[in-house]
Amino acid sequence: ALDPDYKEAWNNLAAAYLARRRVKEASGAVEKALAVDPNYVEPLLVGARILDLEERKAEALAAYEAYLAAAGDDAGVRLALARLSRDLGRGEEAVAHLRMAVALAPGDPRPRRELAQTYWKAENLEAARRETQVVVDLDEDDGEMRYILARDLAQQREYKAAVKKYRKILGMDPKNLEFRDQLWILTESQRDLARIFEKIDQPTLALHHWSEYLRLVPEDTE
């Protein structure tokens, strides 16, 4: 109101409206910012996020690419491009974006996590295992990635190594897991351990883990 040519304020207002899912007002503020300065790049990112929120995937992808061309590379934008590329069936492009995100932010587990899950879906097992382990090394509290490695070892019948990883999971802080919406791995780990000990003929340990599983899931009649 005091300075209608304050482009940064228009951009911040657009971001604030977007955070409240007030898309029409956000779009209007983006237009105001660009009207003040057509070469101002930050509103391009907010505009891309608006299209993304509206699930206009192809348009959002193009808008993110335009932002990168104007502002330079960014790991977070590469993550968004990877997700959109995957949703649009462009698997190779998604992997390329994730690799760029990893190069831009080597200490950030998020692009590594996305890359690992992409490799698992593509059944590129060697790469999937490698990237999943990197995620665990970067983020020790990511229980889901630990669980994926443990389950993979069990499927390979590497039971001793799998048991070790499952027990590590059971020792994790439940509060951290709940915060990440990963409490389910405690239940699954108890069940998987029970099955492993049945397979290697250790009924006492199998009974223990089945009992722990039922304590968590008492409604499982099977």
Side-chain angles (χ1 to χ4, degrees):
L2 293 170
D3 182 0
D5 291 333
Y6 190 179
K7 63 183 182 182
E8 291 84 2
W10 282 117
N11 182 65
N12 291 342
L13 185 60
Y17 278 137
L18 181 59
R20 299 296 296 273
R21 301 295 191 268
R22 293 166 63 177
V23 174
K24 184 177 180 179
E25 292 100 323
S27 297
V30 166
E31 291 174 4
K32 290 284 189 181
L34 292 173
V36 173
D37 182 358
N39 296 316
Y40 185 29
V41 297
E42 293 306 315
L44 299 179
L45 181 56
V46 181
R49 288 173 175 162
I50 290 170
L51 294 169
D52 201 347
L53 180 65
E54 293 180 321
E55 296 192 5
R56 295 158 63 181
K57 297 180 186 297
E59 294 173 78
L61 188 144
Y64 280 124
E65 289 176 340
Y67 172 77
L68 286 186
D73 226 333
D74 179 274
V77 174
R78 288 286 178 181
L79 276 172
L81 283 167
R83 173 176 44 78
L84 289 166
S85 297
R86 185 173 59 240
D87 291 348
L88 292 167
R90 304 175 187 176
E92 292 184 5
E93 290 181 22
V95 170
H97 286 306
L98 288 171
R99 286 175 175 164
M100 285 295 299
V102 167
L104 290 165
D108 187 344
R110 293 176 301 162
R112 296 273 190 179
R113 196 178 201 276
E114 291 284 339
L115 192 56
Q117 291 176 326
T118 300
Y119 284 141
W120 285 115
K121 289 177 182 176
E123 297 186 359
N124 185 345
L125 299 182
E126 183 178 350
R129 290 163 183 151
R130 181 181 66 249
E131 291 299 331
T132 304
Q133 185 59 57
V134 171
V135 174
V136 171
D137 293 340
L138 290 171
D139 184 2
E140 294 183 353
D141 293 329
D142 193 330
E144 183 178 7
M145 291 291 103
R146 288 185 181 277
Y147 176 76
I148 288 171
L149 288 174
R151 185 183 58 190
D152 179 58
L153 286 168
Q155 289 171 346
Q156 296 178 72
R157 299 184 181 181
E158 298 284 345
Y159 294 132
K160 186 175 181 180
V163 167
K164 186 175 180 180
K165 287 193 179 293
Y166 278 122
R167 285 177 171 166
K168 182 76 173 179
I169 291 169
L170 294 179
M172 296 181 74
D173 186 346
K175 290 183 179 180
N176 286 342
L177 294 175
E178 184 176 13
F179 177 76
R180 289 171 174 251
D181 197 23
Q182 294 181 354
L183 266 178
W184 60 269
I185 68 167
L186 298 179
T187 302
E188 295 301 311
S189 294
Q190 293 287 3
R191 181 165 57 186
D192 292 355
L193 280 168
R195 288 172 173 167
I196 287 173
F197 286 122
E198 282 186 356
K199 289 177 181 177
I200 62 177
D201 197 25
Q202 294 193 34
T204 301
L205 286 170
L207 181 61
H208 165 73
H209 287 289
W210 279 127
S211 298
E212 288 299 304
Y213 170 77
L214 281 174
R215 185 175 60 82
L216 296 169
V217 192
E219 67 274 13
D220 190 329
T221 57
E222 183 182 357

